[in-house]
Amino acid sequence: MKPIGVFDSGVGGLSVLAALRAELPRERFVYFSDAAYAPYGERGDAYVIERSRKVTEQLIAGHGIKALVVACNTATTAAIHLLRAEHPLLPIIGLEPALKPAVATSRTGHISVMATRGTLASAKYAALRDSFAGSAAVRAVPCDGLVKAIEGFDTEAIATLCARYMAEAGPFGKAPGEVDTVVLGCTHYPLVKSELARHAPPALRFIDTGAPVAQQTRRVLAAAGRLSDGEGGLTLQSSGGQAALEAAAARWLQVSPQGTTAASA
């Protein structure tokens, strides 16, 4: 049974992997953390493209993946069009900040997007944002350092940065001009949603892309006749610290992988 490849610059894509495993419990997954070359979100496009190509090639050569989920907003915006052109027979599913559902659910018409600087500076994000011009006021909040803090299990830095960026994302509320919906535009951020929520009223909505991506992956595999009816499984790989990835999976997925191997992509 061929697996589905999933990759991110670090552990953030585990939030997407959790949604994928819930939606597709009979599938095998290979999750690749490119931790040795992280973070992507504060690098240029050329760097992200090079890493995305190498990781994709390793997942194809090493595991014969039947589909690829680019579980990283930055890699999606910078590289997915090239990956699809270079691997036309491989279904490739990417991410984008969940502005469409945010606009659809917001009652005040004021939305904040928390994301990496790389995502917010991309042409793809600009086009997405502009497509909703007139429908909602969208505030961009670049969250420098938050990915690094999450990767390092730095509880103190996570708390400090979440407080800082939530202050920038507000004011929150239901009154005209107040933000009632926050888009978590980086896969790392759902992992600390409870900390972010400490700085917001209970009614504030947080929206991420995990469930929609999982649903799209199911649709793509079904259309290609590639859905599995076997036993699910999980393999973890990292170009950096394997132990750190396994600890993150245990912490945020509450699972132990069936196979873990170091990688050098």
Side-chain angles (χ1 to χ4, degrees), residues 203-217:
L204 183 73
R205 285 183 290 271
F206 290 96
I207 297 181
D208 66 76
T209 55
V213 166
Q215 292 158 7
Q216 175 64 6
T217 302

mmCIF file with all atom_site columns, all heavy atoms in Angstrom, residues 203-217:
data_model
loop_
_atom_site.group_PDB
_atom_site.id
_atom_site.type_symbol
_atom_site.label_atom_id
_atom_site.label_alt_id
_atom_site.label_comp_id
_atom_site.label_asym_id
_atom_site.label_entity_id
_atom_site.label_seq_id
_atom_site.pdbx_PDB_ins_code
_atom_site.Cartn_x
_atom_site.Cartn_y
_atom_site.Cartn_z
_atom_site.occupancy
_atom_site.B_iso_or_equiv
_atom_site.pdbx_formal_charge
_atom_site.auth_seq_id
_atom_site.auth_comp_id
_atom_site.auth_asym_id
_atom_site.auth_atom_id
_atom_site.pdbx_PDB_model_num
ATOM 1   N N   . ALA A 1 203 ? -16.027 34.191 22.229 1.00 0.00 ? 203 ALA A N   1
ATOM 2   C CA  . ALA A 1 203 ? -16.755 34.130 20.965 1.00 0.00 ? 203 ALA A CA  1
ATOM 3   C C   . ALA A 1 203 ? -15.857 34.273 19.737 1.00 0.00 ? 203 ALA A C   1
ATOM 4   O O   . ALA A 1 203 ? -16.308 34.050 18.607 1.00 0.00 ? 203 ALA A O   1
ATOM 5   C CB  . ALA A 1 203 ? -17.826 35.229 20.931 1.00 0.00 ? 203 ALA A CB  1
ATOM 6   N N   . LEU A 1 204 ? -14.588 34.631 19.920 1.00 0.00 ? 204 LEU A N   1
ATOM 7   C CA  . LEU A 1 204 ? -13.698 34.804 18.770 1.00 0.00 ? 204 LEU A CA  1
ATOM 8   C C   . LEU A 1 204 ? -13.519 33.472 18.044 1.00 0.00 ? 204 LEU A C   1
ATOM 9   O O   . LEU A 1 204 ? -13.283 32.438 18.662 1.00 0.00 ? 204 LEU A O   1
ATOM 10  C CB  . LEU A 1 204 ? -12.335 35.321 19.232 1.00 0.00 ? 204 LEU A CB  1
ATOM 11  C CG  . LEU A 1 204 ? -11.349 35.602 18.095 1.00 0.00 ? 204 LEU A CG  1
ATOM 12  C CD1 . LEU A 1 204 ? -11.730 36.858 17.334 1.00 0.00 ? 204 LEU A CD1 1
ATOM 13  C CD2 . LEU A 1 204 ? -9.917  35.723 18.640 1.00 0.00 ? 204 LEU A CD2 1
ATOM 14  N N   . ARG A 1 205 ? -13.630 33.515 16.718 1.00 0.00 ? 205 ARG A N   1
ATOM 15  C CA  . ARG A 1 205 ? -13.469 32.309 15.909 1.00 0.00 ? 205 ARG A CA  1
ATOM 16  C C   . ARG A 1 205 ? -12.036 32.219 15.384 1.00 0.00 ? 205 ARG A C   1
ATOM 17  O O   . ARG A 1 205 ? -11.513 33.190 14.831 1.00 0.00 ? 205 ARG A O   1
ATOM 18  C CB  . ARG A 1 205 ? -14.453 32.312 14.734 1.00 0.00 ? 205 ARG A CB  1
ATOM 19  C CG  . ARG A 1 205 ? -15.881 31.997 15.104 1.00 0.00 ? 205 ARG A CG  1
ATOM 20  C CD  . ARG A 1 205 ? -16.766 31.947 13.872 1.00 0.00 ? 205 ARG A CD  1
ATOM 21  N NE  . ARG A 1 205 ? -16.938 33.273 13.303 1.00 0.00 ? 205 ARG A NE  1
ATOM 22  C CZ  . ARG A 1 205 ? -17.895 34.129 13.651 1.00 0.00 ? 205 ARG A CZ  1
ATOM 23  N NH1 . ARG A 1 205 ? -18.784 33.785 14.561 1.00 0.00 ? 205 ARG A NH1 1
ATOM 24  N NH2 . ARG A 1 205 ? -17.989 35.314 13.089 1.00 0.00 ? 205 ARG A NH2 1
ATOM 25  N N   . PHE A 1 206 ? -11.441 31.046 15.532 1.00 0.00 ? 206 PHE A N   1
ATOM 26  C CA  . PHE A 1 206 ? -10.154 30.732 14.920 1.00 0.00 ? 206 PHE A CA  1
ATOM 27  C C   . PHE A 1 206 ? -10.410 29.749 13.778 1.00 0.00 ? 206 PHE A C   1
ATOM 28  O O   . PHE A 1 206 ? -11.102 28.745 13.961 1.00 0.00 ? 206 PHE A O   1
ATOM 29  C CB  . PHE A 1 206 ? -9.199  30.091 15.924 1.00 0.00 ? 206 PHE A CB  1
ATOM 30  C CG  . PHE A 1 206 ? -8.704  31.029 16.983 1.00 0.00 ? 206 PHE A CG  1
ATOM 31  C CD1 . PHE A 1 206 ? -9.330  31.087 18.227 1.00 0.00 ? 206 PHE A CD1 1
ATOM 32  C CD2 . PHE A 1 206 ? -7.600  31.835 16.758 1.00 0.00 ? 206 PHE A CD2 1
ATOM 33  C CE1 . PHE A 1 206 ? -8.867  31.937 19.219 1.00 0.00 ? 206 PHE A CE1 1
ATOM 34  C CE2 . PHE A 1 206 ? -7.134  32.692 17.748 1.00 0.00 ? 206 PHE A CE2 1
ATOM 35  C CZ  . PHE A 1 206 ? -7.758  32.749 18.975 1.00 0.00 ? 206 PHE A CZ  1
ATOM 36  N N   . ILE A 1 207 ? -9.825  30.036 12.626 1.00 0.00 ? 207 ILE A N   1
ATOM 37  C CA  . ILE A 1 207 ? -10.020 29.168 11.468 1.00 0.00 ? 207 ILE A CA  1
ATOM 38  C C   . ILE A 1 207 ? -8.661  28.756 10.919 1.00 0.00 ? 207 ILE A C   1
ATOM 39  O O   . ILE A 1 207 ? -7.782  29.601 10.716 1.00 0.00 ? 207 ILE A O   1
ATOM 40  C CB  . ILE A 1 207 ? -10.839 29.876 10.370 1.00 0.00 ? 207 ILE A CB  1
ATOM 41  C CG1 . ILE A 1 207 ? -12.245 30.199 10.888 1.00 0.00 ? 207 ILE A CG1 1
ATOM 42  C CG2 . ILE A 1 207 ? -10.922 29.019 9.114  1.00 0.00 ? 207 ILE A CG2 1
ATOM 43  C CD1 . ILE A 1 207 ? -13.142 30.875 9.881  1.00 0.00 ? 207 ILE A CD1 1
ATOM 44  N N   . ASP A 1 208 ? -8.474  27.447 10.702 1.00 0.00 ? 208 ASP A N   1
ATOM 45  C CA  . ASP A 1 208 ? -7.253  26.962 10.058 1.00 0.00 ? 208 ASP A CA  1
ATOM 46  C C   . ASP A 1 208 ? -7.631  26.047 8.909  1.00 0.00 ? 208 ASP A C   1
ATOM 47  O O   . ASP A 1 208 ? -8.818  25.829 8.642  1.00 0.00 ? 208 ASP A O   1
ATOM 48  C CB  . ASP A 1 208 ? -6.334  26.264 11.069 1.00 0.00 ? 208 ASP A CB  1
ATOM 49  C CG  . ASP A 1 208 ? -6.948  24.987 11.627 1.00 0.00 ? 208 ASP A CG  1
ATOM 50  O OD1 . ASP A 1 208 ? -6.955  23.981 10.902 1.00 0.00 ? 208 ASP A OD1 1
ATOM 51  O OD2 . ASP A 1 208 ? -7.411  24.999 12.785 1.00 0.00 ? 208 ASP A OD2 1
ATOM 52  N N   . THR A 1 209 ? -6.621  25.514 8.230  1.00 0.00 ? 209 THR A N   1
ATOM 53  C CA  . THR A 1 209 ? -6.887  24.798 6.976  1.00 0.00 ? 209 THR A CA  1
ATOM 54  C C   . THR A 1 209 ? -6.839  23.281 7.103  1.00 0.00 ? 209 THR A C   1
ATOM 55  O O   . THR A 1 209 ? -6.992  22.579 6.108  1.00 0.00 ? 209 THR A O   1
ATOM 56  C CB  . THR A 1 209 ? -5.868  25.227 5.906  1.00 0.00 ? 209 THR A CB  1
ATOM 57  O OG1 . THR A 1 209 ? -4.541  25.019 6.426  1.00 0.00 ? 209 THR A OG1 1
ATOM 58  C CG2 . THR A 1 209 ? -6.037  26.682 5.545  1.00 0.00 ? 209 THR A CG2 1
ATOM 59  N N   . GLY A 1 210 ? -6.632  22.745 8.303  1.00 0.00 ? 210 GLY A N   1
ATOM 60  C CA  . GLY A 1 210 ? -6.454  21.303 8.441  1.00 0.00 ? 210 GLY A CA  1
ATOM 61  C C   . GLY A 1 210 ? -7.596  20.477 7.879  1.00 0.00 ? 210 GLY A C   1
ATOM 62  O O   . GLY A 1 210 ? -7.393  19.615 7.015  1.00 0.00 ? 210 GLY A O   1
ATOM 63  N N   . ALA A 1 211 ? -8.813  20.727 8.353  1.00 0.00 ? 211 ALA A N   1
ATOM 64  C CA  . ALA A 1 211 ? -9.964  19.925 7.906  1.00 0.00 ? 211 ALA A CA  1
ATOM 65  C C   . ALA A 1 211 ? -10.260 20.099 6.417  1.00 0.00 ? 211 ALA A C   1
ATOM 66  O O   . ALA A 1 211 ? -10.465 19.101 5.710  1.00 0.00 ? 211 ALA A O   1
ATOM 67  C CB  . ALA A 1 211 ? -11.196 20.266 8.752  1.00 0.00 ? 211 ALA A CB  1
ATOM 68  N N   . PRO A 1 212 ? -10.280 21.330 5.881  1.00 0.00 ? 212 PRO A N   1
ATOM 69  C CA  . PRO A 1 212 ? -10.515 21.468 4.434  1.00 0.00 ? 212 PRO A CA  1
ATOM 70  C C   . PRO A 1 212 ? -9.463  20.759 3.582  1.00 0.00 ? 212 PRO A C   1
ATOM 71  O O   . PRO A 1 212 ? -9.793  20.178 2.541  1.00 0.00 ? 212 PRO A O   1
ATOM 72  C CB  . PRO A 1 212 ? -10.471 22.988 4.215  1.00 0.00 ? 212 PRO A CB  1
ATOM 73  C CG  . PRO A 1 212 ? -10.835 23.576 5.533  1.00 0.00 ? 212 PRO A CG  1
ATOM 74  C CD  . PRO A 1 212 ? -10.257 22.637 6.555  1.00 0.00 ? 212 PRO A CD  1
ATOM 75  N N   . VAL A 1 213 ? -8.205  20.799 4.000  1.00 0.00 ? 213 VAL A N   1
ATOM 76  C CA  . VAL A 1 213 ? -7.150  20.111 3.245  1.00 0.00 ? 213 VAL A CA  1
ATOM 77  C C   . VAL A 1 213 ? -7.361  18.600 3.285  1.00 0.00 ? 213 VAL A C   1
ATOM 78  O O   . VAL A 1 213 ? -7.198  17.909 2.277  1.00 0.00 ? 213 VAL A O   1
ATOM 79  C CB  . VAL A 1 213 ? -5.763  20.486 3.797  1.00 0.00 ? 213 VAL A CB  1
ATOM 80  C CG1 . VAL A 1 213 ? -4.685  19.538 3.274  1.00 0.00 ? 213 VAL A CG1 1
ATOM 81  C CG2 . VAL A 1 213 ? -5.423  21.916 3.422  1.00 0.00 ? 213 VAL A CG2 1
ATOM 82  N N   . ALA A 1 214 ? -7.732  18.082 4.442  1.00 0.00 ? 214 ALA A N   1
ATOM 83  C CA  . ALA A 1 214 ? -7.993  16.647 4.558  1.00 0.00 ? 214 ALA A CA  1
ATOM 84  C C   . ALA A 1 214 ? -9.157  16.221 3.666  1.00 0.00 ? 214 ALA A C   1
ATOM 85  O O   . ALA A 1 214 ? -9.107  15.182 3.000  1.00 0.00 ? 214 ALA A O   1
ATOM 86  C CB  . ALA A 1 214 ? -8.276  16.286 6.013  1.00 0.00 ? 214 ALA A CB  1
ATOM 87  N N   . GLN A 1 215 ? -10.203 17.035 3.643  1.00 0.00 ? 215 GLN A N   1
ATOM 88  C CA  . GLN A 1 215 ? -11.360 16.730 2.797  1.00 0.00 ? 215 GLN A CA  1
ATOM 89  C C   . GLN A 1 215 ? -10.988 16.790 1.309  1.00 0.00 ? 215 GLN A C   1
ATOM 90  O O   . GLN A 1 215 ? -11.426 15.942 0.519  1.00 0.00 ? 215 GLN A O   1
ATOM 91  C CB  . GLN A 1 215 ? -12.496 17.694 3.121  1.00 0.00 ? 215 GLN A CB  1
ATOM 92  C CG  . GLN A 1 215 ? -13.087 17.473 4.512  1.00 0.00 ? 215 GLN A CG  1
ATOM 93  C CD  . GLN A 1 215 ? -13.804 18.683 5.057  1.00 0.00 ? 215 GLN A CD  1
ATOM 94  O OE1 . GLN A 1 215 ? -13.999 19.689 4.352  1.00 0.00 ? 215 GLN A OE1 1
ATOM 95  N NE2 . GLN A 1 215 ? -14.190 18.640 6.324  1.00 0.00 ? 215 GLN A NE2 1
ATOM 96  N N   . GLN A 1 216 ? -10.167 17.767 0.939  1.00 0.00 ? 216 GLN A N   1
ATOM 97  C CA  . GLN A 1 216 ? -9.726  17.875 -0.452 1.00 0.00 ? 216 GLN A CA  1
ATOM 98  C C   . GLN A 1 216 ? -8.838  16.693 -0.834 1.00 0.00 ? 216 GLN A C   1
ATOM 99  O O   . GLN A 1 216 ? -8.931  16.165 -1.952 1.00 0.00 ? 216 GLN A O   1
ATOM 100 C CB  . GLN A 1 216 ? -8.974  19.192 -0.668 1.00 0.00 ? 216 GLN A CB  1
ATOM 101 C CG  . GLN A 1 216 ? -8.361  19.367 -2.046 1.00 0.00 ? 216 GLN A CG  1
ATOM 102 C CD  . GLN A 1 216 ? -9.387  19.441 -3.168 1.00 0.00 ? 216 GLN A CD  1
ATOM 103 O OE1 . GLN A 1 216 ? -10.603 19.469 -2.923 1.00 0.00 ? 216 GLN A OE1 1
ATOM 104 N NE2 . GLN A 1 216 ? -8.920  19.484 -4.404 1.00 0.00 ? 216 GLN A NE2 1
ATOM 105 N N   . THR A 1 217 ? -8.014  16.250 0.086  1.00 0.00 ? 217 THR A N   1
ATOM 106 C CA  . THR A 1 217 ? -7.160  15.090 -0.182 1.00 0.00 ? 217 THR A CA  1
ATOM 107 C C   . THR A 1 217 ? -8.009  13.853 -0.438 1.00 0.00 ? 217 THR A C   1
ATOM 108 O O   . THR A 1 217 ? -7.734  13.069 -1.356 1.00 0.00 ? 217 THR A O   1
ATOM 109 C CB  . THR A 1 217 ? -6.203  14.850 0.997  1.00 0.00 ? 217 THR A CB  1
ATOM 110 O OG1 . THR A 1 217 ? -5.408  16.023 1.206  1.00 0.00 ? 217 THR A OG1 1
ATOM 111 C CG2 . THR A 1 217 ? -5.284  13.674 0.726  1.00 0.00 ? 217 THR A CG2 1
#
